[in-house]
């Protein structure tokens, strides 16, 4: 997939970045590891890059799913991670105009239930630990 349009922003990759350096904050290392993971094993129809070497600022492109009104579309996102990540979610804004009932005119995702569904899906797909099977 082609890299997302970045409106003249410099985009860099951390795929060779050493995330074991002691001067990198613990949660920044987590973001770096997550970026490396998605670049090594990309999701179909998704692409992300880091903006100007700032690991807390990403741009992403998601292809519209087939068999939907969004099929064939490329949707660009601006993603910013706060200092409190992962305890606070990243701020995700659509920079591509999209008409969807859960996205406002500024590109902000407006439904918290999507976060809950994503968490439920993650929990359902986690392997059970032996301790949990005792209950």
């Amino acid at each position: 997939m082609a890299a997302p349009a970045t409106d003249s922003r410099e985009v860099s990759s951390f795929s060779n970045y050493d995330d074991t350096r002691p001067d990198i904050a613990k949660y920044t290392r987590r973001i770096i590891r997550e970026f490396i993971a998605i670049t090594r094993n990309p999701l179909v129809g998704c692409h992300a890059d880091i903006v100007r070497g700032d690991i807390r600022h990403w741009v992403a492109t998601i292809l519209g799913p087939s068999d939907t009104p969004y099929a064939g579309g490329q949707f660009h996102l601006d993603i910013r991670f706060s200092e409190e990540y992962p305890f606070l979610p990243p701020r995700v804004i659509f920079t591509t105009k999209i008409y969807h009932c859960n996205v406002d005119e500024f590109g902000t995702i407006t439904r918290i239930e999507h976060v809950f569904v994503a968490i439920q899906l993650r929990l359902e797909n986690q392997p059970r630990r032996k301790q949990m099977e005792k209950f």
Side-chain angles (χ1 to χ4, degrees):
M1 171 190 305
T6 58
D7 301 330
S8 75
R9 291 180 267 188
E10 295 176 29
V11 178
S12 63
S13 171
F14 274 79
S15 58
N16 295 322
Y17 194 82
D18 177 12
D19 68 345
T20 60
R21 289 180 25 202
D23 60 324
I24 302 293
K26 177 179 171 182
Y27 300 121
T28 301
R29 284 195 304 268
R30 177 181 170 144
I31 297 169
I32 293 168
R33 282 192 303 272
E34 289 182 20
F35 181 79
I36 290 169
I38 65 167
T39 56
R40 288 185 181 157
N41 299 304
L43 298 170
V44 175
C46 300
H47 177 83
D49 276 308
I50 297 167
V51 178
R52 291 187 295 264
D54 180 0
I55 191 62
R56 295 184 178 279
H57 186 192
W58 298 9
V59 290
T61 300
I62 297 177
L63 298 180
S66 60
D67 300 327
T68 71
Y70 306 104
Q74 285 192 6
F75 301 95
H76 303 287
L77 307 170
D78 185 82
I79 305 166
R80 299 196 187 230
F81 298 88
S82 73
E83 294 285 327
E84 291 83 24
Y85 180 82
F87 303 107
L88 290 178
R91 182 180 60 96
V92 179
I93 303 289
F94 279 87
T95 57
T96 303
K97 192 73 164 174
I98 183 170
Y99 296 99
H100 191 280
C101 61
N102 298 327
V103 179
D104 68 17
E105 68 267 20
F106 304 108
T108 306
I109 300 169
T110 59
R111 299 285 297 266
I112 192 64
E113 69 191 58
H114 295 163
V115 175
F116 295 154
V117 169
I119 291 169
Q120 285 177 328
L121 289 172
R122 298 285 285 194
L123 293 173
E124 287 174 7
N125 291 325
Q126 291 293 333
R128 291 184 177 250
R129 293 189 177 143
K130 289 182 181 178
Q131 296 88 358
M132 292 177 73
E133 292 174 356
K134 293 179 184 177
F135 295 102

